[in-house]
Amino acid sequence: MLLKIALPNKGRLSDEVRELFNEAGLEVKARGERALTASLGGEFEAIFVRAQDIPEFVADGAAHAGVTGWDLVSESGRELDHLMDLEFGKCRLVVAAREESGISGADDVRNGSRVASCFPRLTQAFFDKRGQKVTVVPVSGAAEIAPHLGIADIVVDLTSTGSTLKMNGLREVATVLESSARLVACGSNTPDAQRKLEELKLALGSVLAARGKRYLMANVPKSSLQQVREVLPGLNGPTVVDVLNGGNFVAVHAVVPSKTIYRTVNALKALGCEGILVTRIERLMA
Ligand code: AMP
């Protein structure tokens, strides 16, 4: 039997989740249009559900594992095994107040304030822990308009760039939680399921590890090798290979951060390197 992985059916995380599985060699093949399930490279079965429902599905064992936002996992209050941070869907759950409220930190929130949020549990827990007595007003979306409607004085909402808050005349005053997409699993999985999920973790991790890196190859004059080593630290130091009939040249291969490629190539040119080749890396397992 294939393990079931619950994935978001729409919304912010869904495209990136599909891309990640595809890149890991687990091609997402839906069974017909608008299908609720898909094969993941024939190795796993995806079930598509709302991101909010994924913690429940996984905790109840309807799926062996799932991918959803850490904010939603935390809000659910369900005990799940945290397998890995997938490093996308980054956002923060923040306390925000109207610009003109005079509130500049969580300490300024007065007892008796009304706080609107789609995350009522996390909001309550945040203020309880600080010993502040607030009334949480649960909403199911668009919390940022609550202060304008007179429903609440404060909101606890997700933000990544801060532009939606700003557009609504709100100022971020404290962080409740940092979130990103996570792979989580059911705590009662069998050892065999756990082993398969470890393999999945390795595959997804290798895609994440390759992001932001490039593979660089160059023919290096032997006399410059020491200086080239300093320019190219690589994963475990560059690989140096003899070139057949290479004369004074050896071939050097290294994994380089894409951010530094521009400077690295210029530095190699200046050291007399030739045949410089930069390629993308699909997956990287150290
Ligand atoms: P949505 O697609 O709006 O239902 O959001 C699904 C998940 O995407 C949220 O629960 C968060 O984990 C994540 N997310 C990432 N960035 C943001 C953002 N700026 N606003 C809201 N959610 C975000």
Side-chain angles (χ1 to χ4, degrees):
M1 190 199 62
L2 297 182
L3 295 193
K4 291 194 177 75
I5 316 286
L7 302 180
N9 57 356
K10 55 183 181 195
R12 282 188 173 87
L13 303 177
S14 68
D15 287 349
E16 283 195 81
V17 171
R18 283 166 195 251
E19 198 180 308
L20 176 63
F21 277 82
N22 280 327
E23 285 177 26
L26 296 168
E27 195 195 352
V28 183
K29 251 203 186 128
R31 302 198 166 91
E33 255 186 48
R34 307 186 66 215
L36 303 177
T37 62
S39 156
L40 296 171
E43 302 284 341
F44 296 94
E45 163 129 332
I47 51 177
F48 295 110
V49 282
R50 280 164 24 124
Q52 294 95 303
D53 296 333
I54 290 178
E56 298 295 335
F57 268 74
V58 177
D60 292 344
H64 299 86
V67 173
T68 192
W70 185 239
D71 51 324
L72 298 170
V73 174
S74 307
E75 176 66 16
S76 77
R78 302 295 305 253
E79 282 287 323
L80 293 168
D81 286 346
H82 180 272
L83 298 189
M84 73 188 299
D85 186 343
L86 301 176
E87 298 169 20
F88 58 82
K90 285 192 182 166
C91 58
R92 285 169 303 122
L93 186 64
V94 301
V95 181
R98 293 178 82 143
E99 294 278 9
E100 64 278 12
S101 64
I103 295 173
S104 59
D107 287 345
D108 301 334
V109 175
R110 280 188 298 276
N111 280 340
S113 294
R114 292 169 63 80
V115 186
S117 184
C118 305
F119 296 84
R121 272 170 178 260
L122 291 173
T123 301
Q124 192 71 61
F126 176 80
F127 286 105
D128 281 353
K129 207 166 155 203
R130 302 175 54 89
Q132 290 169 290
K133 291 191 172 46
V134 300
T135 301
V136 177
V137 182
V139 291
S140 62
E144 66 274 7
I145 58 167
H148 300 288
L149 302 177
I151 297 168
D153 317 305
I154 309 278
V155 299
V156 167
D157 204 1
L158 287 176
T159 179
S160 45
T161 60
S163 59
T164 308
L165 291 178
K166 212 171 260 160
M167 238 166 51
N168 285 285
L170 299 172
R171 181 183 0 172
E172 185 181 324
V173 298
T175 302
V176 175
L177 181 92
E178 308 249 355
S179 179
S180 55
R182 308 289 166 101
L183 176 68
V184 290
C186 174
S188 57
N189 279 332
T190 61
D192 185 50
Q194 286 176 24
R195 188 184 50 74
K196 288 181 180 147
L197 291 173
E198 272 308 306
E199 288 173 358
L200 173 64
K201 220 173 107 174
L202 269 182
L204 300 180
S206 71
V207 174
L208 300 179
R211 287 189 177 163
K213 300 205 178 63
R214 295 287 182 270
Y215 198 62
L216 185 143
M217 293 170 258
N219 291 329
V220 175
K222 286 179 182 161
S223 56
S224 303
L225 198 51
Q226 196 46 45
Q227 288 154 288
V228 166
R229 275 184 206 278
E230 284 158 26
V231 176
L232 284 181
L235 261 190
N236 310 303
T239 305
V240 180
V241 196
D242 275 331
V243 180
L244 197 62
N245 300 325
N248 291 328
F249 283 82
V250 285
V252 168
H253 297 194
V255 175
V256 181
S258 14
K259 278 199 290 231
T260 62
I261 271 292
Y262 180 80
R263 280 167 179 239
T264 306
V265 167
N266 287 335
L268 294 181
K269 276 308 255 180
L271 290 168
C273 297
E274 293 178 1
I276 299 172
L277 186 71
V278 179
T279 73
R280 290 180 190 281
I281 307 173
E282 289 192 8
R283 297 177 57 183
L284 184 65
M285 275 186 213

